[in-house]
Amino acid sequence: MADEALFLLLHNEMVSGVYKSAEQGEVENGRCITKLENMGFRVGQGLIERFTKDTARFKDELDIMKFICKDFWTTVFKKQIDNLRTNHQGIYVLQDNKFRLLTQMSSGKQYLEHASKYLAFTCGLIRGGLSNLGIKSIVTAEVSSMPACKFQVMIQKL
Amino acid sequence: MAVCIMVIVKENYPFYVRSIPVENELKFHSVVHTSLDLVDEKISAMGKALVDQRGLCPGLLYPTEDYKVYGYVTNSKVKFVTLVDSSNTAHRDNEICSMFWKLHNSYTDVTCNPFPNPGDRIRPRVFDNMVTSLMTQVC
């Protein structure tokens, strides 16, 4: 499907574009990641509004996380999250064994140091989606071996 | 005829207010504010039972002497409240529900606009025109 490749390529260009514009100014690495994450946040907010238009109301937090793992992930990345774990105290780990945005890069340890740049946008996506559903969270990602990656969601209880 | 339409964000302040005639806006603010409690009540009452598709449209909140108040909540805790003239008693629930559906669709388009920040009180023209057509049509 052409639209899958479109988003992939656009995302890659977005990451390199943000880093290139950073080289001209004197911005540290962290700011680029924040920029990408904020972009993802805004997109996630709008996306969630559209996707939850037709769904029934969510019963609780776990229901919302399951929605993110199944419907949301399927609509954005055309596959579901492979594994969801939680400690029932506000921490969820979403594991994707074949993350779409990383499959083209490598299938092992090569280019591991650059992986975090390509995960920032998706972290923001999850955070933005959850924020519009009324959940404040911090989302981080880690990669031990491409293309599998884990997103850790820490719910902030107010 | 719909007399007032209000969109309330999850932080519970009105994101968009539109009323005909415009002078009564303050009065409508207080009516809608009190009806917010009813919306929350209905949601928490429904939460225990099985939720189905229709769950999003609780419908008639309460009738006052001049107006009837209808509510609708989205999954992202955005509430739409409408005040309708009591004299037109021929309204059916699904008419009101379909009106809220159109509102929801337009609101989704508004949120996807990248220029204003979420929470800014703006009056996007497309949304405005759609609301005008809804208000004059529901009668």
Side-chain angles (χ1 to χ4, degrees):
Chain A
M1 287 260 277
D3 53 343
E4 226 186 297
L6 272 174
F7 174 56
L8 208 85
L9 295 168
L10 182 64
H11 178 257
N12 292 343
E13 275 315 302
M14 207 164 70
V15 174
S16 65
V18 168
Y19 273 84
K20 245 185 234 160
S21 66
E23 265 167 50
Q24 277 138 28
E26 307 221 2
V27 183
E28 329 98 39
N29 196 15
R31 293 244 198 121
C32 296
I33 302 250
T34 316
K35 245 196 224 173
L36 286 165
E37 219 250 348
N38 286 335
M39 277 195 235
F41 183 78
R42 190 72 183 87
V43 173
Q45 283 183 318
L47 274 182
I48 274 287
E49 195 70 51
R50 251 182 225 287
F51 295 159
T52 56
K53 207 163 46 168
D54 308 314
T55 56
R57 186 150 304 125
F58 299 118
K59 289 193 236 46
D60 58 9
E61 212 172 77
L62 189 59
D63 220 20
I64 296 183
M65 290 313 294
K66 284 196 209 159
F67 171 79
I68 300 259
C69 292
K70 291 197 205 142
D71 302 306
F72 189 67
W73 219 253
T74 315
T75 325
V76 181
F77 299 112
K78 306 282 188 297
K79 68 183 284 287
Q80 289 188 5
I81 284 273
D82 298 303
N83 196 352
L84 169 69
R85 288 200 302 269
T86 173
N87 69 352
H88 291 289
Q89 272 157 23
I91 301 201
Y92 297 84
V93 181
L94 287 71
Q95 184 164 346
D96 191 336
N97 290 332
K98 210 172 174 219
F99 191 47
R100 275 272 187 291
L101 299 176
L102 294 179
T103 38
Q104 310 302 330
M105 260 190 256
S106 81
S107 56
K109 306 274 184 192
Q110 203 185 16
Y111 299 121
L112 202 63
E113 61 277 9
H114 297 291
S116 57
K117 296 184 207 165
Y118 292 85
L119 295 169
F121 182 81
T122 315
C123 288
L125 209 67
I126 301 176
R127 190 167 68 93
L130 287 174
S131 121
N132 242 21
L133 292 171
I135 299 182
K136 257 201 149 147
S137 58
I138 297 183
V139 185
T140 52
E142 63 173 85
V143 186
S144 48
S145 158
M146 308 245 240
C149 65
K150 288 198 198 136
F151 294 95
Q152 191 184 43
V153 181
M154 275 177 283
I155 311 275
Q156 319 237 268
K157 301 267 186 235
L158 291 160
Chain B
M1 198 168 89
V3 185
C4 171
I5 289 187
M6 228 187 243
V7 180
I8 294 145
V9 190
K10 71 171 140 67
E11 285 90 9
N12 278 336
Y13 64 81
F15 168 75
Y16 180 85
V17 183
R18 189 69 183 286
S19 58
I20 298 170
V22 187
E23 303 89 57
N24 293 344
E25 201 173 294
L26 218 53
K27 181 167 80 157
F28 296 150
H29 266 274
S30 66
V31 173
V32 172
H33 198 81
T34 49
S35 63
L36 284 179
D37 287 328
L38 272 162
V39 176
D40 290 331
E41 222 181 85
K42 288 220 172 185
I43 300 175
S44 49
M46 272 199 294
K48 310 284 164 55
L50 264 178
V51 182
D52 59 346
Q53 270 308 18
R54 292 282 175 191
L56 285 175
C57 193
L60 178 66
L61 293 176
Y62 68 80
T64 67
E65 64 285 357
D66 303 316
Y67 314 105
K68 284 195 250 185
V69 186
Y70 289 90
Y72 176 94
V73 189
T74 70
N75 257 326
S76 50
K77 315 275 190 299
V78 174
K79 305 168 191 79
F80 298 103
V81 182
T82 331
L83 272 73
V84 181
D85 224 336
S86 261
S87 49
N88 294 329
T89 45
H91 288 295
R92 284 190 302 278
D93 252 355
N94 37 345
E95 263 178 34
I96 303 286
C97 270
S98 64
M99 183 188 77
F100 277 129
W101 251 92
K102 287 194 206 140
L103 259 175
H104 194 175
N105 283 336
S106 295
Y107 176 74
T108 320
D109 292 334
V110 167
T111 43
C112 293
N113 188 346
F115 293 111
N117 294 319
D120 277 354
R121 285 185 222 186
I122 50 161
R123 291 185 88 95
R125 247 175 265 156
V126 182
F127 193 65
D128 237 2
N129 294 338
M130 203 257 351
V131 169
T132 322
S133 70
L134 273 182
M135 289 177 88
T136 47
Q137 173 199 62
V138 180
C139 52

